[in-house]
């Protein structure tokens, strides 16, 4: 039985994906569940975080968002039994790769998969669904009537965040990084209040948001990264399309919430003072700081997927033997739709 792993170079900059033969899984005991994997989604690996957490291994398992059928359960398992269809996210320190036919996982990382939901939909939505809940529910307390700016709304995560915001009755503004993204966002139903095309670098995001909100600013900003420097000092063309941190602070309304994915965000004293005057908050969306023991989030994501609230952007399913090449592309941030391996 083969599984997909990655090996990090001595410089910690490049990683190599390899298939390796695995030993037979140990006897399923205590609160662990043996699972036949039916689908596993592809997501970027945060190698910097692994290094900071001192997680040193020769080979790291790859693939964490899984859906499958329960084969066996330990003596202390109370939520599942053989033949149950489940979905979940493997923990960061999991010994088993999701890209493998059979894995062993603690029951607290799993929930039942609704019958109407396909394997690929379940695996392809669970992570982005949890991220969207964390950002909009726990970090910014989204409610009906609020205005929210979701950057890069045509991405796999942005799509789910927009759908959750609409479901909660919020007014959504979003940015598009290309003409194709703009057309995708304009097809949303219910419609997005304003789609801001930033692909040519000429449109000012702050001005557009203030105009849309009558000068009040938006209540919630969910960024997809920010520029810390001026465009002249930023060599990366992709980063030049991101809003500057001052733009975000400018467009934020009184009592607003800025949810950022920028782990190296630097706020100077004038920035902090402006946020203080607005009574605004800044929160960091860290993918790994989820309270996964709170199964309610995972269950709610699956229920909304089953009810059609979430309609994920999924690419065509790929076979396991293509996972290595596909992960290399995902790690380089190539492709817009979520990719899922189907077994």
């Amino acid at each position: 039985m083969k599984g997909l792993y990655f090996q990090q170079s001595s410089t910690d900059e490049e990683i190599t994906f390899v298939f390796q033969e695995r030993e037979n899984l140990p006897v399923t005991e205590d609160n662990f569940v043996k699972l036949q994997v039916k689908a596993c989604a592809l997501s970027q690996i945060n190698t910097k975080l692994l290094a900071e957490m001192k997680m040193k291994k020769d080979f790291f398992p790859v693939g964490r968002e899984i859906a499958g059928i329960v084969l066996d359960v330990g003596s202390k398992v109370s939520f599942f039994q053989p033949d149950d269809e489940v979905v979940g996210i493997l923990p960061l320190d999991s010994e088993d790769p999701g890209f493998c036919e059979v894995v062993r996982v603690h029951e607290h990382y799993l929930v039942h998969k609704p019958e109407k939901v396909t394997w690929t939909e379940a695996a392809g939505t669970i992570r982005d669904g949890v991220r969207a809940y964390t950002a909009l529910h726990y970090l910014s307390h989204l409610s009906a009537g609020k205005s929210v700016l979701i950057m890069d709304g045509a991405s796999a995560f942005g799509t789910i965040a927009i759908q959750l915001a609409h479901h909660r009755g919020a007014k959504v503004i979003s940015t598009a990084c290309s003409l194709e993204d703009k057309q995708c966002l304009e097809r949303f139903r219910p419609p997005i209040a304003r789609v801001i095309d930033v692909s040519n670098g000429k449109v000012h995001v702050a001005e557009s948001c203030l105009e849309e909100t009558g000068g009040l600013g938006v209540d919630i900003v969910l960024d997809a990264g920010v520029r810390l420097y001026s465009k002249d000092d930023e060599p990366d063309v992709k980063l030049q399309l991101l809003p500057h941190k001052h733009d975000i602070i400018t467009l934020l309304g009184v009592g607003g919430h800025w949810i950022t994915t920028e782990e190296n965000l630097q706020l100077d004293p004038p920035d902090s003072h402006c946020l203080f005057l607005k009574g605004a908050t800044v929160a960091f969306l860290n993918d790994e700081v989820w309270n996964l023991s709170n199964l309610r989030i995972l269950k709610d994501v699956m229920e909304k997927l089953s009810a059609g609230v979430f309609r994920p952007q999924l690419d065509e399913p790929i076979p396991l033997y293509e996972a290595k090449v596909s992960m290399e592309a995902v790690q380089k941030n190539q492709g817009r739709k979520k990719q899922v391996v189907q077994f």
Side-chain angles (χ1 to χ4, degrees):
M1 183 168 59
K2 288 186 177 182
L4 185 63
Y5 295 80
F6 79 86
Q7 188 176 25
Q8 204 155 0
S9 67
S10 57
T11 60
D12 287 344
E13 292 181 358
E14 294 186 4
I15 62 177
T16 305
F17 294 95
V18 294
F19 278 107
Q20 281 198 325
E21 284 291 339
R22 299 185 61 214
E23 297 179 1
N24 291 330
L25 293 178
V27 176
T28 309
E29 55 186 21
D30 295 338
N31 292 94
F32 281 85
V33 173
K34 184 185 287 186
L35 200 66
Q36 179 187 356
V37 179
K38 303 296 287 186
C40 181
L42 287 72
S43 293
Q44 272 189 318
I45 298 166
N46 190 338
T47 55
K48 183 178 179 182
L49 178 63
L50 292 173
E52 289 174 349
M53 295 181 68
K54 311 295 184 185
M55 297 182 68
K56 296 292 184 181
K57 297 180 182 178
D58 292 332
F59 294 94
F60 288 87
V62 178
R64 294 173 56 199
E65 304 108 280
I66 59 172
I69 300 174
V70 174
L71 297 176
D72 191 18
V73 298
S75 59
K76 296 182 180 179
V77 171
S78 55
F79 296 115
F80 306 104
Q81 57 188 11
D83 296 328
D84 281 353
E85 298 184 350
V86 298
V87 57
I89 304 175
L90 297 178
L92 195 61
D93 60 354
S94 172
E95 296 291 331
D96 297 342
F99 294 116
C100 187
E101 293 179 355
V102 180
V103 299
R104 200 175 65 110
V105 57
H106 196 286
E107 66 172 333
H108 287 169
Y109 294 103
L110 301 170
V111 294
H112 287 95
K113 181 185 76 67
E115 189 176 349
K116 290 170 57 179
V117 175
T118 67
W119 298 116
T120 53
E121 287 173 340
T125 307
I126 190 69
R127 186 186 185 112
D128 288 332
V130 172
R131 288 186 74 204
Y133 258 82
T134 303
L136 298 179
H137 181 69
Y138 289 101
L139 297 180
S140 58
H141 312 292
L142 178 68
S143 58
K146 297 282 188 180
S147 58
V148 54
L149 169 64
I150 297 175
M151 311 295 292
D152 195 14
S155 65
F157 168 60
T159 298
I160 296 296
I162 290 172
Q163 291 165 356
L164 179 59
H166 274 156
H167 181 70
R168 293 285 177 85
K171 175 182 180 179
V172 177
I173 303 169
S174 188
T175 61
C177 300
S178 66
L179 177 60
E180 184 180 356
D181 287 354
K182 182 173 182 286
Q183 293 171 341
C184 172
L185 292 171
E186 288 173 342
R187 291 194 293 268
F188 264 77
R189 292 296 178 269
I192 296 171
R194 177 176 291 205
V195 177
I196 305 170
D197 186 357
V198 299
S199 60
N200 57 16
K202 297 178 181 179
V203 177
H204 201 283
V205 176
E207 288 181 3
S208 299
C209 289
L210 291 172
E211 181 181 306
E212 185 63 37
T213 58
L216 297 176
V218 300
D219 298 304
I220 298 167
V221 177
L222 176 53
D223 73 34
V226 293
R227 271 191 301 114
L228 303 178
Y229 312 104
S230 66
K231 287 186 178 180
D232 295 335
D233 298 328
E234 186 57 74
D236 193 324
V237 176
K238 288 185 177 180
L239 291 178
Q240 290 180 12
L241 296 179
L242 296 175
H244 193 277
K245 59 181 178 179
H246 295 152
D247 295 335
I248 301 291
I249 295 171
T250 299
L251 63 85
L252 202 59
V254 173
H257 302 280
W258 175 10
I259 314 303
T260 183
T261 58
E262 177 51 65
E263 60 186 53
N264 296 313
L265 180 67
Q266 300 175 28
L267 295 178
D268 301 318
D271 301 329
S272 299
H273 184 64
C274 187
L275 290 168
F276 167 77
L277 292 176
K278 293 185 175 189
T281 62
V282 179
F284 291 86
L285 181 59
N286 181 351
D287 287 13
E288 302 305 335
V289 189
W290 300 323
N291 183 12
L292 285 181
S293 60
N294 186 350
L295 298 178
R296 184 178 61 185
I297 305 176
L298 296 177
K299 290 177 181 176
D300 208 24
V301 169
M302 284 298 105
E303 287 172 3
K304 283 182 169 48
L305 181 59
S306 179
V309 174
F310 290 152
R311 301 177 302 282
Q313 286 199 76
L314 301 179
D315 219 330
E316 289 296 317
I318 59 178
L320 180 59
Y321 64 83
E322 291 184 7
K324 177 180 178 292
V325 175
S326 298
M327 271 303 305
E328 290 170 351
V330 168
Q331 194 66 20
K332 295 176 183 176
N333 203 22
Q334 298 172 349
R336 302 291 285 163
K337 295 182 179 181
K338 194 77 171 181
Q339 291 187 304
V340 181
V341 166
Q342 188 170 22
F343 290 76

